[in-house]
Amino acid sequence: MYNLFALLSGFIIAIVVTFNGQLTAVYGNYNATFILHLIAVIFSFLILKLSKKKLFPSEKLPLWFYLGGAVGLFNAFFQNFAFGKISLTSILALALFGQMVASLFIDRFGSFGMERHPFKKSSTLGFIFSLLGVFVMLDLSSGFNAVVVLAIVLAFASGITTVISRSINGRLAKHTGSMSGSFINHLVGLPLALLVALLMPGNDISLVLQQPSPQWWIYLGGIAGVFLVFVLNVTVMKLSSLRLSLLSFVGQVFLSVLLDLLLESTFSRITLYGGLIVAAGVGLNMLIEYLQESRQKERK
């Protein structure tokens, strides 16, 4: 079940990215990030009140338990910087690579209170497939300069912040519940998103106050974001960080390709090929683990 939840998180990411792209076209990147957080806070607050659940934990928790929303903002900012400087497929590939590196570290050492999942030799073949998928998607044909190198570094870093954010949120959700954790995540991110929107050079914050777009569906990204954090909160403590990263990526790629076909009648073949190779790697790992577990049961 939790493997399906991991795939579902990837589907929701693809939906969030689609709505966020449409919202950004109207308001700009930083204003859109603020609007998404505002909608997410209001929606999750109403859900919690209607279900008569607590907004905040009753016990005192370490301050870092509340920082998932702050760390998660860097993911959007890093990828926003990289956008237009390197290809979208490269951003996606580098972000996945960053997630893989951070996930291996967290699985090995149990960072942020996560359960340890030491890397198994039997997982090597599947891991190699996943790396191959990353390199298939990587396109650096535009050459190198200081700006491109910085874009590469930040796209990679966005994957790291993604893993750190969801790990912190997972720890918080153990004490608050998954929906309360989603509410706190967006509540913490909201004032930071507003601050960035106010301070970023060239950003017109007054656009936030303009008449809402008649295309009401572009505002649904914030609601989808609430469910994304909710699903990740449910899943992150149940799967290894690496498994969660790879399954989420596969879900994101396949639904993104489908949405591109439906909305724009086109899609990136390189992204699809990379996603298929990563999916093959995940499938191999899961098959090997299943066969090993079956043999162990037979011996007993």
Side-chain angles (χ1 to χ4, degrees), residues 43-78:
F43 178 74
S44 54
F45 175 83
L46 292 175
I47 290 291
L48 290 168
K49 283 299 183 181
L50 290 173
S51 58
K52 298 181 179 179
K53 293 183 178 179
K54 291 183 178 180
L55 298 176
F56 303 100
S58 54
E59 71 226 82
K60 186 176 181 180
L61 300 174
L63 177 62
W64 67 268
F65 274 44
Y66 298 93
L67 297 181
V71 176
L73 275 181
F74 286 98
N75 176 47
F77 296 149
F78 289 165

PDB file of all heavy atoms in Angstrom, residues 43-78:
ATOM      1  N   PHE A  43      -7.146  26.121   3.365  1.00  0.00           N
ATOM      2  CA  PHE A  43      -7.818  24.848   3.089  1.00  0.00           C
ATOM      3  C   PHE A  43      -7.548  23.823   4.188  1.00  0.00           C
ATOM      4  O   PHE A  43      -8.478  23.180   4.690  1.00  0.00           O
ATOM      5  CB  PHE A  43      -7.361  24.302   1.740  1.00  0.00           C
ATOM      6  CG  PHE A  43      -7.968  22.973   1.384  1.00  0.00           C
ATOM      7  CD1 PHE A  43      -9.291  22.887   0.980  1.00  0.00           C
ATOM      8  CD2 PHE A  43      -7.215  21.800   1.459  1.00  0.00           C
ATOM      9  CE1 PHE A  43      -9.861  21.660   0.654  1.00  0.00           C
ATOM     10  CE2 PHE A  43      -7.772  20.575   1.145  1.00  0.00           C
ATOM     11  CZ  PHE A  43      -9.096  20.503   0.734  1.00  0.00           C
ATOM     12  N   SER A  44      -6.283  23.657   4.570  1.00  0.00           N
ATOM     13  CA  SER A  44      -5.949  22.671   5.609  1.00  0.00           C
ATOM     14  C   SER A  44      -6.528  23.078   6.960  1.00  0.00           C
ATOM     15  O   SER A  44      -6.945  22.218   7.756  1.00  0.00           O
ATOM     16  CB  SER A  44      -4.435  22.488   5.711  1.00  0.00           C
ATOM     17  OG  SER A  44      -3.769  23.722   5.912  1.00  0.00           O
ATOM     18  N   PHE A  45      -6.593  24.391   7.228  1.00  0.00           N
ATOM     19  CA  PHE A  45      -7.214  24.879   8.468  1.00  0.00           C
ATOM     20  C   PHE A  45      -8.687  24.484   8.523  1.00  0.00           C
ATOM     21  O   PHE A  45      -9.178  23.994   9.553  1.00  0.00           O
ATOM     22  CB  PHE A  45      -7.059  26.401   8.544  1.00  0.00           C
ATOM     23  CG  PHE A  45      -7.773  27.029   9.716  1.00  0.00           C
ATOM     24  CD1 PHE A  45      -7.182  27.059  10.968  1.00  0.00           C
ATOM     25  CD2 PHE A  45      -9.036  27.596   9.561  1.00  0.00           C
ATOM     26  CE1 PHE A  45      -7.837  27.630  12.055  1.00  0.00           C
ATOM     27  CE2 PHE A  45      -9.700  28.178  10.634  1.00  0.00           C
ATOM     28  CZ  PHE A  45      -9.088  28.181  11.887  1.00  0.00           C
ATOM     29  N   LEU A  46      -9.395  24.665   7.420  1.00  0.00           N
ATOM     30  CA  LEU A  46     -10.819  24.320   7.370  1.00  0.00           C
ATOM     31  C   LEU A  46     -11.023  22.813   7.531  1.00  0.00           C
ATOM     32  O   LEU A  46     -11.951  22.375   8.222  1.00  0.00           O
ATOM     33  CB  LEU A  46     -11.430  24.798   6.046  1.00  0.00           C
ATOM     34  CG  LEU A  46     -11.532  26.318   5.861  1.00  0.00           C
ATOM     35  CD1 LEU A  46     -12.026  26.653   4.462  1.00  0.00           C
ATOM     36  CD2 LEU A  46     -12.456  26.920   6.921  1.00  0.00           C
ATOM     37  N   ILE A  47     -10.164  22.032   6.886  1.00  0.00           N
ATOM     38  CA  ILE A  47     -10.256  20.571   6.999  1.00  0.00           C
ATOM     39  C   ILE A  47     -10.098  20.143   8.452  1.00  0.00           C
ATOM     40  O   ILE A  47     -10.858  19.315   8.968  1.00  0.00           O
ATOM     41  CB  ILE A  47      -9.194  19.884   6.128  1.00  0.00           C
ATOM     42  CG1 ILE A  47      -9.510  20.058   4.645  1.00  0.00           C
ATOM     43  CG2 ILE A  47      -9.080  18.396   6.473  1.00  0.00           C
ATOM     44  CD1 ILE A  47     -10.728  19.288   4.176  1.00  0.00           C
ATOM     45  N   LEU A  48      -9.117  20.699   9.126  1.00  0.00           N
ATOM     46  CA  LEU A  48      -8.854  20.336  10.524  1.00  0.00           C
ATOM     47  C   LEU A  48      -9.995  20.777  11.439  1.00  0.00           C
ATOM     48  O   LEU A  48     -10.379  20.042  12.358  1.00  0.00           O
ATOM     49  CB  LEU A  48      -7.533  20.954  10.982  1.00  0.00           C
ATOM     50  CG  LEU A  48      -6.273  20.342  10.365  1.00  0.00           C
ATOM     51  CD1 LEU A  48      -5.058  21.207  10.654  1.00  0.00           C
ATOM     52  CD2 LEU A  48      -6.050  18.926  10.887  1.00  0.00           C
ATOM     53  N   LYS A  49     -10.525  21.972  11.209  1.00  0.00           N
ATOM     54  CA  LYS A  49     -11.624  22.459  12.040  1.00  0.00           C
ATOM     55  C   LYS A  49     -12.891  21.634  11.837  1.00  0.00           C
ATOM     56  O   LYS A  49     -13.598  21.300  12.793  1.00  0.00           O
ATOM     57  CB  LYS A  49     -11.897  23.933  11.738  1.00  0.00           C
ATOM     58  CG  LYS A  49     -10.896  24.890  12.366  1.00  0.00           C
ATOM     59  CD  LYS A  49     -10.917  24.760  13.882  1.00  0.00           C
ATOM     60  CE  LYS A  49      -9.986  25.740  14.565  1.00  0.00           C
ATOM     61  NZ  LYS A  49     -10.003  25.591  16.038  1.00  0.00           N
ATOM     62  N   LEU A  50     -13.196  21.299  10.592  1.00  0.00           N
ATOM     63  CA  LEU A  50     -14.387  20.510  10.301  1.00  0.00           C
ATOM     64  C   LEU A  50     -14.283  19.095  10.867  1.00  0.00           C
ATOM     65  O   LEU A  50     -15.291  18.495  11.260  1.00  0.00           O
ATOM     66  CB  LEU A  50     -14.625  20.455   8.784  1.00  0.00           C
ATOM     67  CG  LEU A  50     -15.079  21.770   8.131  1.00  0.00           C
ATOM     68  CD1 LEU A  50     -15.101  21.628   6.615  1.00  0.00           C
ATOM     69  CD2 LEU A  50     -16.459  22.167   8.649  1.00  0.00           C
ATOM     70  N   SER A  51     -13.070  18.567  10.879  1.00  0.00           N
ATOM     71  CA  SER A  51     -12.860  17.218  11.431  1.00  0.00           C
ATOM     72  C   SER A  51     -12.573  17.245  12.925  1.00  0.00           C
ATOM     73  O   SER A  51     -12.330  16.199  13.524  1.00  0.00           O
ATOM     74  CB  SER A  51     -11.712  16.526  10.690  1.00  0.00           C
ATOM     75  OG  SER A  51     -10.503  17.281  10.785  1.00  0.00           O
ATOM     76  N   LYS A  52     -12.556  18.461  13.507  1.00  0.00           N
ATOM     77  CA  LYS A  52     -12.346  18.663  14.946  1.00  0.00           C
ATOM     78  C   LYS A  52     -11.026  18.068  15.439  1.00  0.00           C
ATOM     79  O   LYS A  52     -10.957  17.424  16.485  1.00  0.00           O
ATOM     80  CB  LYS A  52     -13.524  18.075  15.742  1.00  0.00           C
ATOM     81  CG  LYS A  52     -14.851  18.752  15.429  1.00  0.00           C
ATOM     82  CD  LYS A  52     -15.984  18.174  16.251  1.00  0.00           C
ATOM     83  CE  LYS A  52     -17.303  18.882  15.935  1.00  0.00           C
ATOM     84  NZ  LYS A  52     -18.446  18.327  16.710  1.00  0.00           N
ATOM     85  N   LYS A  53      -9.987  18.310  14.641  1.00  0.00           N
ATOM     86  CA  LYS A  53      -8.645  17.862  15.017  1.00  0.00           C
ATOM     87  C   LYS A  53      -7.788  19.053  15.422  1.00  0.00           C
ATOM     88  O   LYS A  53      -8.041  20.188  15.005  1.00  0.00           O
ATOM     89  CB  LYS A  53      -7.996  17.115  13.851  1.00  0.00           C
ATOM     90  CG  LYS A  53      -8.681  15.795  13.528  1.00  0.00           C
ATOM     91  CD  LYS A  53      -7.951  15.060  12.412  1.00  0.00           C
ATOM     92  CE  LYS A  53      -8.610  13.724  12.123  1.00  0.00           C
ATOM     93  NZ  LYS A  53      -7.933  12.998  11.025  1.00  0.00           N
ATOM     94  N   LYS A  54      -6.777  18.787  16.224  1.00  0.00           N
ATOM     95  CA  LYS A  54      -5.912  19.849  16.720  1.00  0.00           C
ATOM     96  C   LYS A  54      -5.045  20.413  15.591  1.00  0.00           C
ATOM     97  O   LYS A  54      -4.605  19.695  14.702  1.00  0.00           O
ATOM     98  CB  LYS A  54      -5.007  19.326  17.835  1.00  0.00           C
ATOM     99  CG  LYS A  54      -5.749  18.983  19.125  1.00  0.00           C
ATOM    100  CD  LYS A  54      -4.762  18.538  20.194  1.00  0.00           C
ATOM    101  CE  LYS A  54      -5.478  18.248  21.504  1.00  0.00           C
ATOM    102  NZ  LYS A  54      -4.521  17.816  22.566  1.00  0.00           N
ATOM    103  N   LEU A  55      -4.794  21.711  15.674  1.00  0.00           N
ATOM    104  CA  LEU A  55      -3.926  22.361  14.701  1.00  0.00           C
ATOM    105  C   LEU A  55      -2.460  22.130  15.036  1.00  0.00           C
ATOM    106  O   LEU A  55      -1.621  21.950  14.138  1.00  0.00           O
ATOM    107  CB  LEU A  55      -4.200  23.863  14.656  1.00  0.00           C
ATOM    108  CG  LEU A  55      -5.606  24.297  14.229  1.00  0.00           C
ATOM    109  CD1 LEU A  55      -5.735  25.810  14.338  1.00  0.00           C
ATOM    110  CD2 LEU A  55      -5.893  23.845  12.802  1.00  0.00           C
ATOM    111  N   PHE A  56      -2.155  22.146  16.337  1.00  0.00           N
ATOM    112  CA  PHE A  56      -0.764  22.049  16.782  1.00  0.00           C
ATOM    113  C   PHE A  56      -0.633  20.941  17.828  1.00  0.00           C
ATOM    114  O   PHE A  56      -1.610  20.589  18.494  1.00  0.00           O
ATOM    115  CB  PHE A  56      -0.317  23.382  17.386  1.00  0.00           C
ATOM    116  CG  PHE A  56      -0.446  24.551  16.455  1.00  0.00           C
ATOM    117  CD1 PHE A  56      -1.531  25.415  16.550  1.00  0.00           C
ATOM    118  CD2 PHE A  56       0.492  24.770  15.470  1.00  0.00           C
ATOM    119  CE1 PHE A  56      -1.661  26.493  15.695  1.00  0.00           C
ATOM    120  CE2 PHE A  56       0.371  25.848  14.600  1.00  0.00           C
ATOM    121  CZ  PHE A  56      -0.710  26.709  14.709  1.00  0.00           C
ATOM    122  N   PRO A  57       0.561  20.405  17.978  1.00  0.00           N
ATOM    123  CA  PRO A  57       0.761  19.354  18.986  1.00  0.00           C
ATOM    124  C   PRO A  57       0.626  19.910  20.396  1.00  0.00           C
ATOM    125  O   PRO A  57       0.948  21.080  20.649  1.00  0.00           O
ATOM    126  CB  PRO A  57       2.192  18.868  18.710  1.00  0.00           C
ATOM    127  CG  PRO A  57       2.864  20.035  18.063  1.00  0.00           C
ATOM    128  CD  PRO A  57       1.799  20.699  17.241  1.00  0.00           C
ATOM    129  N   SER A  58       0.146  19.084  21.304  1.00  0.00           N
ATOM    130  CA  SER A  58      -0.023  19.521  22.694  1.00  0.00           C
ATOM    131  C   SER A  58       1.288  19.474  23.466  1.00  0.00           C
ATOM    132  O   SER A  58       1.465  20.189  24.444  1.00  0.00           O
ATOM    133  CB  SER A  58      -1.065  18.637  23.394  1.00  0.00           C
ATOM    134  OG  SER A  58      -0.726  17.266  23.263  1.00  0.00           O
ATOM    135  N   GLU A  59       2.225  18.642  23.008  1.00  0.00           N
ATOM    136  CA  GLU A  59       3.511  18.536  23.695  1.00  0.00           C
ATOM    137  C   GLU A  59       4.533  19.480  23.086  1.00  0.00           C
ATOM    138  O   GLU A  59       4.375  19.925  21.944  1.00  0.00           O
ATOM    139  CB  GLU A  59       4.024  17.094  23.628  1.00  0.00           C
ATOM    140  CG  GLU A  59       4.483  16.699  22.222  1.00  0.00           C
ATOM    141  CD  GLU A  59       3.950  15.355  21.807  1.00  0.00           C
ATOM    142  OE1 GLU A  59       2.795  15.297  21.363  1.00  0.00           O
ATOM    143  OE2 GLU A  59       4.713  14.381  21.922  1.00  0.00           O
ATOM    144  N   LYS A  60       5.563  19.770  23.845  1.00  0.00           N
ATOM    145  CA  LYS A  60       6.633  20.634  23.362  1.00  0.00           C
ATOM    146  C   LYS A  60       7.604  19.813  22.526  1.00  0.00           C
ATOM    147  O   LYS A  60       8.117  18.796  22.966  1.00  0.00           O
ATOM    148  CB  LYS A  60       7.369  21.283  24.539  1.00  0.00           C
ATOM    149  CG  LYS A  60       8.403  22.308  24.107  1.00  0.00           C
ATOM    150  CD  LYS A  60       9.036  22.988  25.308  1.00  0.00           C
ATOM    151  CE  LYS A  60      10.065  24.035  24.867  1.00  0.00           C
ATOM    152  NZ  LYS A  60      10.688  24.709  26.029  1.00  0.00           N
ATOM    153  N   LEU A  61       7.864  20.277  21.306  1.00  0.00           N
ATOM    154  CA  LEU A  61       8.742  19.569  20.384  1.00  0.00           C
ATOM    155  C   LEU A  61       9.949  20.441  20.044  1.00  0.00           C
ATOM    156  O   LEU A  61       9.879  21.669  20.135  1.00  0.00           O
ATOM    157  CB  LEU A  61       7.982  19.225  19.093  1.00  0.00           C
ATOM    158  CG  LEU A  61       6.751  18.329  19.238  1.00  0.00           C
ATOM    159  CD1 LEU A  61       6.033  18.201  17.906  1.00  0.00           C
ATOM    160  CD2 LEU A  61       7.152  16.951  19.762  1.00  0.00           C
ATOM    161  N   PRO A  62      11.050  19.822  19.632  1.00  0.00           N
ATOM    162  CA  PRO A  62      12.220  20.601  19.204  1.00  0.00           C
ATOM    163  C   PRO A  62      11.860  21.554  18.064  1.00  0.00           C
ATOM    164  O   PRO A  62      11.017  21.240  17.216  1.00  0.00           O
ATOM    165  CB  PRO A  62      13.203  19.523  18.733  1.00  0.00           C
ATOM    166  CG  PRO A  62      12.787  18.286  19.447  1.00  0.00           C
ATOM    167  CD  PRO A  62      11.288  18.371  19.575  1.00  0.00           C
ATOM    168  N   LEU A  63      12.494  22.700  18.038  1.00  0.00           N
ATOM    169  CA  LEU A  63      12.191  23.723  17.031  1.00  0.00           C
ATOM    170  C   LEU A  63      12.345  23.189  15.612  1.00  0.00           C
ATOM    171  O   LEU A  63      11.540  23.531  14.729  1.00  0.00           O
ATOM    172  CB  LEU A  63      13.111  24.935  17.244  1.00  0.00           C
ATOM    173  CG  LEU A  63      12.969  26.074  16.224  1.00  0.00           C
ATOM    174  CD1 LEU A  63      11.558  26.658  16.275  1.00  0.00           C
ATOM    175  CD2 LEU A  63      14.014  27.154  16.480  1.00  0.00           C
ATOM    176  N   TRP A  64      13.341  22.341  15.363  1.00  0.00           N
ATOM    177  CA  TRP A  64      13.602  21.886  13.996  1.00  0.00           C
ATOM    178  C   TRP A  64      12.470  21.030  13.436  1.00  0.00           C
ATOM    179  O   TRP A  64      12.350  20.882  12.214  1.00  0.00           O
ATOM    180  CB  TRP A  64      14.941  21.162  13.891  1.00  0.00           C
ATOM    181  CG  TRP A  64      15.035  19.843  14.618  1.00  0.00           C
ATOM    182  CD1 TRP A  64      15.472  19.634  15.881  1.00  0.00           C
ATOM    183  CD2 TRP A  64      14.717  18.546  14.088  1.00  0.00           C
ATOM    184  NE1 TRP A  64      15.431  18.298  16.192  1.00  0.00           N
ATOM    185  CE2 TRP A  64      14.981  17.606  15.109  1.00  0.00           C
ATOM    186  CE3 TRP A  64      14.235  18.094  12.858  1.00  0.00           C
ATOM    187  CZ2 TRP A  64      14.782  16.240  14.944  1.00  0.00           C
ATOM    188  CZ3 TRP A  64      14.028  16.725  12.687  1.00  0.00           C
ATOM    189  CH2 TRP A  64      14.303  15.813  13.715  1.00  0.00           C
ATOM    190  N   PHE A  65      11.612  20.494  14.308  1.00  0.00           N
ATOM    191  CA  PHE A  65      10.454  19.726  13.837  1.00  0.00           C
ATOM    192  C   PHE A  65       9.519  20.588  12.983  1.00  0.00           C
ATOM    193  O   PHE A  65       8.754  20.054  12.184  1.00  0.00           O
ATOM    194  CB  PHE A  65       9.661  19.183  15.035  1.00  0.00           C
ATOM    195  CG  PHE A  65      10.158  17.865  15.568  1.00  0.00           C
ATOM    196  CD1 PHE A  65      11.508  17.619  15.736  1.00  0.00           C
ATOM    197  CD2 PHE A  65       9.268  16.872  15.914  1.00  0.00           C
ATOM    198  CE1 PHE A  65      11.969  16.415  16.241  1.00  0.00           C
ATOM    199  CE2 PHE A  65       9.708  15.653  16.416  1.00  0.00           C
ATOM    200  CZ  PHE A  65      11.060  15.426  16.589  1.00  0.00           C
ATOM    201  N   TYR A  66       9.579  21.906  13.165  1.00  0.00           N
ATOM    202  CA  TYR A  66       8.670  22.827  12.478  1.00  0.00           C
ATOM    203  C   TYR A  66       9.287  23.460  11.229  1.00  0.00           C
ATOM    204  O   TYR A  66       8.652  24.311  10.603  1.00  0.00           O
ATOM    205  CB  TYR A  66       8.239  23.937  13.437  1.00  0.00           C
ATOM    206  CG  TYR A  66       7.487  23.441  14.646  1.00  0.00           C
ATOM    207  CD1 TYR A  66       8.148  23.156  15.836  1.00  0.00           C
ATOM    208  CD2 TYR A  66       6.111  23.254  14.610  1.00  0.00           C
ATOM    209  CE1 TYR A  66       7.462  22.700  16.958  1.00  0.00           C
ATOM    210  CE2 TYR A  66       5.411  22.803  15.725  1.00  0.00           C
ATOM    211  CZ  TYR A  66       6.098  22.524  16.892  1.00  0.00           C
ATOM    212  OH  TYR A  66       5.418  22.065  17.986  1.00  0.00           O
ATOM    213  N   LEU A  67      10.477  23.054  10.880  1.00  0.00           N
ATOM    214  CA  LEU A  67      11.195  23.746   9.806  1.00  0.00           C
ATOM    215  C   LEU A  67      11.029  23.114   8.429  1.00  0.00           C
ATOM    216  O   LEU A  67      11.647  23.560   7.472  1.00  0.00           O
ATOM    217  CB  LEU A  67      12.694  23.829  10.151  1.00  0.00           C
ATOM    218  CG  LEU A  67      13.032  24.635  11.408  1.00  0.00           C
ATOM    219  CD1 LEU A  67      14.547  24.656  11.616  1.00  0.00           C
ATOM    220  CD2 LEU A  67      12.479  26.050  11.311  1.00  0.00           C
ATOM    221  N   GLY A  68      10.191  22.079   8.316  1.00  0.00           N
ATOM    222  CA  GLY A  68      10.010  21.432   7.020  1.00  0.00           C
ATOM    223  C   GLY A  68       9.496  22.383   5.957  1.00  0.00           C
ATOM    224  O   GLY A  68       9.938  22.350   4.809  1.00  0.00           O
ATOM    225  N   GLY A  69       8.552  23.241   6.334  1.00  0.00           N
ATOM    226  CA  GLY A  69       7.999  24.196   5.367  1.00  0.00           C
ATOM    227  C   GLY A  69       9.013  25.218   4.913  1.00  0.00           C
ATOM    228  O   GLY A  69       9.010  25.629   3.748  1.00  0.00           O
ATOM    229  N   ALA A  70       9.904  25.626   5.820  1.00  0.00           N
ATOM    230  CA  ALA A  70      10.946  26.595   5.469  1.00  0.00           C
ATOM    231  C   ALA A  70      11.964  25.977   4.519  1.00  0.00           C
ATOM    232  O   ALA A  70      12.355  26.576   3.511  1.00  0.00           O
ATOM    233  CB  ALA A  70      11.633  27.103   6.737  1.00  0.00           C
ATOM    234  N   VAL A  71      12.386  24.743   4.827  1.00  0.00           N
ATOM    235  CA  VAL A  71      13.353  24.053   3.969  1.00  0.00           C
ATOM    236  C   VAL A  71      12.741  23.778   2.595  1.00  0.00           C
ATOM    237  O   VAL A  71      13.401  23.917   1.558  1.00  0.00           O
ATOM    238  CB  VAL A  71      13.818  22.737   4.624  1.00  0.00           C
ATOM    239  CG1 VAL A  71      14.743  21.964   3.683  1.00  0.00           C
ATOM    240  CG2 VAL A  71      14.533  23.017   5.940  1.00  0.00           C
ATOM    241  N   GLY A  72      11.450  23.400   2.592  1.00  0.00           N
ATOM    242  CA  GLY A  72      10.788  23.082   1.335  1.00  0.00           C
ATOM    243  C   GLY A  72      10.711  24.248   0.370  1.00  0.00           C
ATOM    244  O   GLY A  72      10.676  24.048  -0.849  1.00  0.00           O
ATOM    245  N   LEU A  73      10.696  25.480   0.886  1.00  0.00           N
ATOM    246  CA  LEU A  73      10.667  26.650   0.007  1.00  0.00           C
ATOM    247  C   LEU A  73      11.901  26.731  -0.885  1.00  0.00           C
ATOM    248  O   LEU A  73      11.835  27.202  -2.018  1.00  0.00           O
ATOM    249  CB  LEU A  73      10.557  27.933   0.829  1.00  0.00           C
ATOM    250  CG  LEU A  73       9.162  28.394   1.241  1.00  0.00           C
ATOM    251  CD1 LEU A  73       9.259  29.682   2.025  1.00  0.00           C
ATOM    252  CD2 LEU A  73       8.260  28.583   0.036  1.00  0.00           C
ATOM    253  N   PHE A  74      13.038  26.274  -0.351  1.00  0.00           N
ATOM    254  CA  PHE A  74      14.268  26.336  -1.136  1.00  0.00           C
ATOM    255  C   PHE A  74      14.169  25.481  -2.392  1.00  0.00           C
ATOM    256  O   PHE A  74      14.798  25.789  -3.403  1.00  0.00           O
ATOM    257  CB  PHE A  74      15.461  25.883  -0.288  1.00  0.00           C
ATOM    258  CG  PHE A  74      15.890  26.901   0.727  1.00  0.00           C
ATOM    259  CD1 PHE A  74      15.477  26.812   2.047  1.00  0.00           C
ATOM    260  CD2 PHE A  74      16.690  27.966   0.361  1.00  0.00           C
ATOM    261  CE1 PHE A  74      15.863  27.754   2.981  1.00  0.00           C
ATOM    262  CE2 PHE A  74      17.091  28.919   1.289  1.00  0.00           C
ATOM    263  CZ  PHE A  74      16.662  28.808   2.602  1.00  0.00           C
ATOM    264  N   ASN A  75      13.391  24.414  -2.318  1.00  0.00           N
ATOM    265  CA  ASN A  75      13.210  23.567  -3.496  1.00  0.00           C
ATOM    266  C   ASN A  75      12.666  24.380  -4.662  1.00  0.00           C
ATOM    267  O   ASN A  75      13.184  24.331  -5.783  1.00  0.00           O
ATOM    268  CB  ASN A  75      12.262  22.405  -3.153  1.00  0.00           C
ATOM    269  CG  ASN A  75      11.946  21.548  -4.353  1.00  0.00           C
ATOM    270  OD1 ASN A  75      12.825  21.169  -5.104  1.00  0.00           O
ATOM    271  ND2 ASN A  75      10.681  21.241  -4.545  1.00  0.00           N
ATOM    272  N   ALA A  76      11.595  25.152  -4.396  1.00  0.00           N
ATOM    273  CA  ALA A  76      10.985  25.973  -5.453  1.00  0.00           C
ATOM    274  C   ALA A  76      11.934  27.077  -5.910  1.00  0.00           C
ATOM    275  O   ALA A  76      12.080  27.326  -7.116  1.00  0.00           O
ATOM    276  CB  ALA A  76       9.685  26.580  -4.950  1.00  0.00           C
ATOM    277  N   PHE A  77      12.603  27.742  -4.971  1.00  0.00           N
ATOM    278  CA  PHE A  77      13.484  28.850  -5.329  1.00  0.00           C
ATOM    279  C   PHE A  77      14.686  28.376  -6.143  1.00  0.00           C
ATOM    280  O   PHE A  77      15.095  29.027  -7.106  1.00  0.00           O
ATOM    281  CB  PHE A  77      13.954  29.575  -4.071  1.00  0.00           C
ATOM    282  CG  PHE A  77      12.849  30.235  -3.308  1.00  0.00           C
ATOM    283  CD1 PHE A  77      12.917  30.373  -1.928  1.00  0.00           C
ATOM    284  CD2 PHE A  77      11.723  30.716  -3.951  1.00  0.00           C
ATOM    285  CE1 PHE A  77      11.893  30.982  -1.218  1.00  0.00           C
ATOM    286  CE2 PHE A  77      10.686  31.328  -3.257  1.00  0.00           C
ATOM    287  CZ  PHE A  77      10.776  31.455  -1.881  1.00  0.00           C
ATOM    288  N   PHE A  78      15.257  27.229  -5.760  1.00  0.00           N
ATOM    289  CA  PHE A  78      16.404  26.691  -6.488  1.00  0.00           C
ATOM    290  C   PHE A  78      16.017  26.324  -7.921  1.00  0.00           C
ATOM    291  O   PHE A  78      16.745  26.625  -8.878  1.00  0.00           O
ATOM    292  CB  PHE A  78      16.964  25.460  -5.777  1.00  0.00           C
ATOM    293  CG  PHE A  78      17.677  25.769  -4.480  1.00  0.00           C
ATOM    294  CD1 PHE A  78      17.957  24.767  -3.570  1.00  0.00           C
ATOM    295  CD2 PHE A  78      18.065  27.064  -4.167  1.00  0.00           C
ATOM    296  CE1 PHE A  78      18.622  25.045  -2.381  1.00  0.00           C
ATOM    297  CE2 PHE A  78      18.721  27.359  -2.981  1.00  0.00           C
ATOM    298  CZ  PHE A  78      18.996  26.339  -2.082  1.00  0.00           C
TER     299      PHE A  78
END
